């Protein structure tokens, strides 16, 4: 048991040294709300980090707790199982696509003009008349809200978006992506009490619980 614990501490130490390599101890300690002395203890394997500390490291550095513990090699906290997507994962995918300019939001006048354009080039020859498959409408009100939030924040300053990702995107983590049905849109419209991230994520969680409860009653 003792050798196992020593091995775990060594793994954590190795991962944290890799994680903190690009910044000073002072910067890392400030991010993690601890003294440099305590940071050095966990980084050098002299102390095992608490669960709260592991969670904080995961949130601040966007790495998986499983990676810190040596349970998997993929450090990305947003590792995706396509059948079990949550809202934070979909946002991160869309965010990366826009950062890379793989997709870009269409201007309103461009959307109208292109959606009715009959003179399609060969790259869009599969389109039917009046439809342009390069243009997408977000039918899910929650996803629409957080992507619009992204657009508004990044127009002002990238640092505002980075701050939002750190403080508010985790509110959507673990909330499974739903079908953008009329019932879901009606619930989010009628039951939501405000327009903050907390209002949206809380209403979404309530809707998910309601559907689960109704599903259990049907099974009984």
């Amino acid at each position: 048991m003792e050798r196992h614990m020593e091995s775990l501490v060594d793994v954590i130490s190795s991962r944290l040294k890799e994680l903190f390599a690009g910044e000073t101890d002072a910067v890392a300690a400030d991010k993690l709300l601890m003294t440099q002395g305590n940071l050095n203890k966990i980084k050098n394997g002299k102390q095992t980090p608490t669960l709260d500390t592991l969670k904080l490291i995961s949130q601040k550095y966007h790495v998986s707790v499983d990676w810190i513990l040596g349970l998997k090699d993929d450090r990305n906290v947003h590792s995706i199982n396509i059948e079990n997507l949550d809202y934070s994962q979909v946002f991160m995918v869309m965010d990366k696509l826009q950062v890379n300019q793989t997709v870009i939001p269409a201007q309103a006048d461009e959307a109208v003009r292109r959606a009715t354009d009959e003179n399609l080039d060969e790259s869009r020859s599969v389109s039917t008349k009046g439809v342009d498959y390069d243009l997408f409408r977000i039918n899910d009100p929650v996803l629409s809200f957080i992507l619009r939030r992204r657009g508004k924040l990044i127009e002002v300053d990238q640092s505002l978006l980075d701050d939002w990702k750190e403080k508010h995107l985790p509110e959507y983590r673990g909330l499974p992506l739903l079908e953008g049905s009329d019932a879901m849109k009606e619930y989010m419209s009628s039951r939501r009490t405000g327009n903050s991230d907390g209002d949206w994520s809380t209403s979404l969680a309530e809707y998910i619980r309601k559907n689960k409860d109704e599903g259990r009653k049907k099974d009984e």
Side-chain angles (χ1 to χ4, degrees):
M1 180 68 177
E2 185 177 343
R3 262 182 282 178
H4 173 72
M5 289 304 297
E6 288 176 353
S7 175
L8 176 60
V9 169
D10 289 342
V11 169
I12 294 173
S13 172
S14 174
R15 294 285 165 100
L16 294 184
K17 285 177 180 177
E18 178 184 338
L19 195 59
F20 302 149
E23 58 192 12
T24 65
D25 286 352
V27 171
D30 185 60
K31 281 185 180 179
L32 300 175
L33 309 176
M34 63 173 61
T35 65
Q36 291 185 51
N38 285 336
L39 177 76
N40 276 303
K41 287 179 182 177
I42 63 172
K43 189 171 76 168
N44 294 317
K46 296 179 179 179
Q47 180 176 302
T48 305
T50 65
L51 181 58
D52 286 341
T53 298
L54 288 171
K55 287 180 179 178
L56 188 58
I57 294 171
S58 173
Q59 291 171 359
K60 293 292 185 180
Y61 288 88
H62 307 292
V63 295
S64 163
V65 170
D66 284 347
W67 176 81
I68 300 172
L69 297 175
L71 299 177
K72 68 177 188 177
D73 294 329
D74 182 4
R75 65 192 286 174
N76 190 353
V77 73
H78 296 289
S79 297
I80 289 176
N81 176 345
I82 198 67
E83 298 299 329
N84 295 288
L85 292 172
D86 69 26
Y87 281 85
S88 68
Q89 292 170 327
V90 177
F91 175 89
M92 293 302 292
V93 170
M94 295 299 296
D95 179 54
K96 183 62 175 176
L97 290 174
Q98 291 185 63
V99 168
N100 288 356
Q101 296 189 36
T102 308
V103 299
I104 56 175
Q107 300 298 315
D109 59 343
E110 179 189 10
V112 172
R113 174 172 52 80
R114 293 181 65 193
T116 58
D117 186 4
E118 297 181 25
N119 300 312
L120 301 174
D121 62 31
E122 289 184 3
S123 69
R124 295 191 295 277
S125 61
V126 296
S127 299
T128 58
K129 182 177 179 180
V131 176
D132 186 340
Y133 289 101
D134 284 346
L135 298 173
F136 290 89
R137 178 177 182 271
I138 305 298
N139 200 38
D140 182 314
V142 180
L143 187 57
S144 175
F145 170 76
I146 57 178
L147 290 175
R148 288 174 187 274
R149 176 78 87 195
R150 178 195 186 279
K152 290 178 181 178
L153 292 174
I154 205 167
E155 280 180 6
V156 179
D157 193 86
Q158 176 68 43
S159 64
L160 291 179
L161 176 60
D162 293 339
D163 186 63
W164 180 87
K165 286 182 187 177
E166 182 176 309
K167 293 180 179 177
H168 297 290
L169 186 58
E171 296 177 33
Y172 300 92
R173 194 170 295 155
L175 295 175
L177 185 68
L178 302 179
E179 178 184 345
S181 64
D182 290 340
M184 185 259 205
K185 288 185 280 187
E186 171 62 26
Y187 187 94
M188 295 301 297
S189 174
S190 62
R191 299 299 183 92
R192 201 179 69 253
T193 57
N195 208 37
S196 70
D197 289 289
D199 295 322
W200 279 88
S201 60
T202 298
S203 295
L204 178 60
E206 290 172 350
Y207 179 73
I208 292 169
R209 281 195 298 270
K210 181 180 80 73
N211 281 354
K212 285 183 177 177
D213 291 341
E214 290 176 353
R216 279 195 292 265
K217 289 177 181 177
K218 288 180 181 178
D219 293 336
E220 291 175 355

